[in-house]
Amino acid sequence: MIDQNSKTLLEVRDLHAKVSDVEILKGVNLTVKCGEIHAIMGLNGSGKSTFAKVLAGHPGYQVTAGSVSFDNQDLLSLEPEVRSRNGIFLAFQYPIEIPGVANSQFLRLAYNTNQLSRGKEELDPLEFDDFVREKMQLLEMNVDFLDRSVNEGFSGGEKKRNEILQMALLEPKLAILDETDSGLDIDALRIVASGVNKLTNKDNAIILVTHYQRLLDYIVPDYVHIMESGRIIKTSGKDLAKELEVHGYDWIKADQLAKSTESSI
Amino acid sequence: MSALLQNLVNQPYKHGFVTEIESDIAPKGLNEEIIRMISAKKNEPDWLLSFRLRAYEKWLSMTEPQWQNVKYPKIDFQDISYYSAPKPKKKLASMDEVDPELLRTFEKLGVPLHERAALAGVAVDVIFDSVSVATTFKEKLAEVGIIFCSISEAVQNYPELVQKYLGSVVPVGDNFYAALNSAVFTDGSFCYIPEGVKCPMDLSTYFRINTEGSGQFERTLIIAENGASVSYLEGCTAPRFDTNQLHAAVVELVALDNAEIKYSTVQNWYAGDEKGIGGIYNFVTKRGLAKGINSRISWTQVETGSAITWKYPSCILRGENSVGEFYSVAVTNNYQQADTGTKMIHIGKNTRSTIVSKGISAGHSNSSYRGLVRIAPTAENARNYSQCDSMLIGDQCGANTFPYIQVHNNTAVVEHEASTSKIGEDQLFYFAQRGIGAEEAVSMIINGFCKEVFQQLPMEFAVEATKLLSFKLEGSVG
């Protein structure tokens, strides 16, 4: 939902980042306001997932230039756990398995850590159990998820639902969903998308990182950005994704090429 | 990330301090005269002196084992003092009479004796540099006929029991360190559970090495008569020193028909500094004999300390339907080395054994699991299940698994599973992204990894073990 009066949540300026000496992000610019849904699309290797991880503070990536302000704070100077507590959430493309740690235990620790940092009350195991069960209904998850080890032996779809469950628990200001649609069958996609839709409001924002249009049929973006070689090369409304679906990424490239040729004339 | 890992591991040893108590120290070196002196000081009967001398003779003919996967400078056995005792001012009748300095030591260790005994309902037989100075709950145990005292007292008061069982599970010449222990042991615990008695509380001993340069040679003997059962806890900690300290204990367990012995250890001896200097050499022989039908022996250990750990708590399953269990967590950090595991010797029919070993390596440490499962020709329908999991923290450490399986009866079923995992950047990032810092994340991952073993520990011990592990691995990840 675009509202020119809502406040700016994320401001990315000329962001450059590298991983083991290979520059992946080469000057990303992006502004996200409260209440907005942004989709970032692009081919494999275009830098979409790197961008998501850099925002969350993955230690494997090194920011070499540019700035990111989140909620009027310099995001890049913060440790990843602080970014999380400040309201940045990343739904992982490949959620990690943690053998021996019960999902309920992990979810409660994550929840309570965030509650504490916001000066709110922690929940004891029984209270948390009621609370999390309610949230699980949103994603039509079976309660036996709670007793299983975190993501261990989960199917692809179950892992993705577990990610969105965490989003529901942590109520982030900015949720970055990295390829959340990959590995989901159509029913799971519908459930996950409806869960995400129920979590959106005028005070938070979502960045969807995806290859395909199909997720955007369920979570309708306000803006679609096309990423290519570590830059956002085109930004438009939701129809861009549909055009992309019809014409393919080459069409954008051709379009860009035409433009740059024009401007050089 | 490895820098963060390092910081976590490199916390100074909390229990590194020396208590100043007057000690009565034997001159360095080992010879027949020293052994006679120890025996005389302890006012021992002749049979025990000859037990010691027999062991010493065996020891002289033996050489140090070389096969284990650990490295350390050669030990000069003549440079060790084999006896050290706090000078007793008078006989102690109650806790109030215990040297206040000693009590303060326990305070520092976080094990206030009064509180511990009262709150946890645990009878604590305190070993302080080889001599027991206080024993609690004795009367309560005596009511049901349980004997729980230092082995020196047992030698004086129950000589026929000690004579019958001492060396019956670990013979004097069993191995180099067991022979040394048999020759020079100064104290330890003795526990006898009479027929049909279920010990009403967990029995616990805190070991403490205090005099610099003095070796410790504990001797523990636990006997459960027909239908008896007992849960025994052993916890250790030692002060910080630069010279390596040798510890060569022997523990013998005997379970008769339908008897059950559960032996749990949390070991946190000084492991040396972050460069690997100093630290305890822990060369221990622990063995249980499941002698009677339907008997059960269960070892649970959480090994976090020592510069070198060399230890294989074993079960000899002689009785029909007897059961042996080994649950182990071994944590190594910095330059610690551990070569530990178990031996399950199946002799009786329908004997069963379970091995669950969890090795955690951080820093530059090296951890090996070494386990033997032997099914004798007489062991019809024997079963064994072994599971050995290793976890690596950082990329400078190592883990090895050496399973030895010898099956001499084709009705046996032996299973072995092994896995290796790693706490890496991505796992920690996943936690961090949910707001959880590295230390808490490691603690949660490790506790998850060790859960099957911790579940075997008595409640209070499990809580302690959990804290201890977090403490040990603090700074090792990041």
Side-chain angles (χ1 to χ4, degrees), chain B residues 362-396:
Chain B
H364 294 83
S365 69
N366 202 332
S367 167
S368 300
Y369 166 82
R370 190 184 301 277
L372 167 69
V373 176
R374 182 167 192 276
I375 313 286
T378 49
E380 292 287 318
N381 297 315
R383 297 275 181 279
N384 162 266
Y385 172 74
S386 303
Q387 183 191 336
C388 302
D389 299 320
S390 307
M391 179 170 277
L392 305 174
I393 302 178
D395 49 12
Q396 306 287 313

Side-chain angles (χ1 to χ4, degrees), chain B residues 2-27:
Chain B
S2 46
L4 222 157
L5 276 171
Q6 238 96 68
N7 291 339
L8 274 167
V9 187
N10 296 340
Q11 305 274 333
Y13 184 69
K14 271 189 187 163
H15 301 152
F17 46 81
V18 184
T19 308
E20 286 177 23
I21 289 182
E22 280 183 80
S23 284
D24 180 3
I25 303 178

Side-chain angles (χ1 to χ4, degrees), chain A residues 57-59 80-81 84-85 88-90 92 96-98 100-101 105-106 109 113-114 151 163 166, chain B residues 1 4 425-427 429-438 440-441 444-449 451:
Chain A
H58 193 291
E81 58 267 31
S84 160
R85 292 171 204 155
I88 295 235
F89 179 86
L90 173 63
F92 285 75
I96 297 282
E97 299 189 1
I98 310 163
V101 176
Q105 208 186 342
F106 175 74
L109 181 61
T113 308
N114 278 274
N151 295 325
E163 293 293 293
Q166 294 175 56
Chain B
M1 117 133 189
L4 222 157
E425 206 169 60
D426 282 325
Q427 239 171 341
F429 179 61
Y430 190 71
F431 277 86
Q433 216 307 300
R434 301 304 183 243
I436 303 166
E440 239 176 322
M444 193 172 231
I445 294 169
I446 294 290
N447 285 322
F449 180 70
K451 199 164 61 184

Side-chain angles (χ1 to χ4, degrees), chain B residues 62-80:
Chain B
M62 297 171 104
T63 48
E64 276 181 80
Q66 301 290 335
W67 45 264
Q68 64 271 45
N69 188 24
V70 298
K71 293 189 189 81
Y72 57 94
K74 206 161 165 47
I75 298 170
D76 182 355
F77 290 94
Q78 296 304 335
D79 194 38
I80 293 171

